[in-house]
Amino acid sequence: MGTSERRGGVELDRHDAVGARMRQFRKERGLTLRGLATHSGLSIGFLSQVERGISSIGLTALNSVATALDRSVAEFFNDAPAEEGGEEDRRAPASPLPSHFTLTRSSTAATEYISGQQTYRMLSARGPNLVLEPLLVHIAPGGRRENSYGHAGEEFAFVLEGELLYEVDGVEHRLHPGDSVHLRSTVPHSMFNDTDRVTTVVSVVTPRLF
């Protein structure tokens, strides 16, 4: 998978692309960083760091930014918004399935999104009556630690490989393979890989982000 793209004749690192789009969308809405912070619930300093490519932003926090800017999360990763139903149609199974059920084969190409140190692989197709967002998350070492943040919903994380430092309500917990955490997402929380190897996590969040 490539790690860079071009915009306006300038090559951008994929890790910086989300922040660049955030700045673009914010200016298109005529919002200052303070205004975006007010609407998203995130700090001005953190949003500034994300826009400058200094800090990465998790999908759940990005969802709050997307809502504040009246955008979809996918638009922060794609060059152009998908047409109505386009993304869902591309990822839907070949044969019709009931709206309460999806089937994803391991051989099926999965959609991936990169934000800073984190790569998110979608583990299910869209289903109109389904509310969980299952993800396989690869968290590279290093980077700047994300601020703790609360939002609507629930989330669950299960460590497959590596170690993960998970902060919940100001208390740090080190998770090893086989460990998991499940919380109401309204509690301020953050995760960080402070080791020297990639950490792989199965994460399930609500509501759906895409």
Side-chain angles (χ1 to χ4, degrees):
M1 177 183 299
T3 58
S4 63
E5 63 177 78
R6 298 193 68 83
R7 170 156 307 165
V10 178
E11 188 170 90
L12 294 176
D13 188 280
R14 284 289 300 276
H15 291 179
D16 298 337
V18 171
R21 290 195 181 95
M22 183 186 299
R23 182 187 297 111
Q24 173 192 340
F25 297 156
R26 174 177 63 78
K27 290 185 175 180
E28 287 175 357
R29 294 281 293 183
L31 280 178
T32 62
L33 276 171
R34 182 178 300 277
L36 181 56
T38 299
H39 287 85
S40 66
L42 298 166
S43 72
I44 297 174
F46 175 62
L47 291 172
S48 175
Q49 290 173 356
V50 173
E51 287 194 355
R52 289 181 287 147
I54 297 174
S55 290
S56 61
I57 183 170
L59 283 187
T60 50
L62 183 59
N63 187 50
S64 293
V65 171
T67 300
L69 296 175
D70 196 25
R71 297 275 183 169
S72 68
V73 171
E75 289 178 77
F76 289 80
F77 299 93
N78 299 331
D79 285 331
E83 294 181 1
E84 185 72 21
E87 181 71 11
E88 183 172 329
D89 292 342
R90 284 194 297 274
R91 296 165 59 187
S95 57
L97 289 173
S99 62
H100 61 273
F101 172 68
T102 71
L103 177 63
T104 304
R105 299 290 189 185
S106 61
S107 58
T108 303
T111 300
E112 290 189 344
Y113 299 96
I114 299 175
S115 177
Q117 305 302 110
Q118 301 175 20
T119 300
Y120 300 89
R121 178 178 178 179
M122 315 307 291
L123 294 181
S124 78
R126 305 301 86 186
N129 295 324
L130 302 177
V131 298
L132 299 179
E133 185 79 90
L135 308 158
L136 185 66
V137 187
H138 300 288
I139 308 167
R144 188 179 293 268
R145 186 165 178 171
E146 182 181 335
N147 293 345
S148 293
Y149 169 68
H151 55 88
E154 281 184 64
E155 59 187 80
F156 169 85
F158 178 88
V159 178
L160 293 175
E161 296 179 352
E163 298 180 12
L164 184 65
L165 197 62
Y166 213 108
E167 180 181 321
V168 181
D169 204 16
V171 180
E172 293 183 348
H173 307 273
R174 184 169 297 278
L175 305 183
H176 299 87
D179 292 342
S180 62
V181 59
H182 184 187
L183 65 145
R184 289 193 180 277
S185 303
T186 50
V187 177
H189 58 280
S190 65
M191 60 181 182
F192 183 67
N193 180 2
D194 63 347
T195 71
D196 58 0
R197 55 176 294 195
V198 174
T199 296
T200 303
V201 178
V202 172
S203 178
V204 183
V205 302
T206 65
R208 297 210 86 157
L209 304 172
F210 293 90

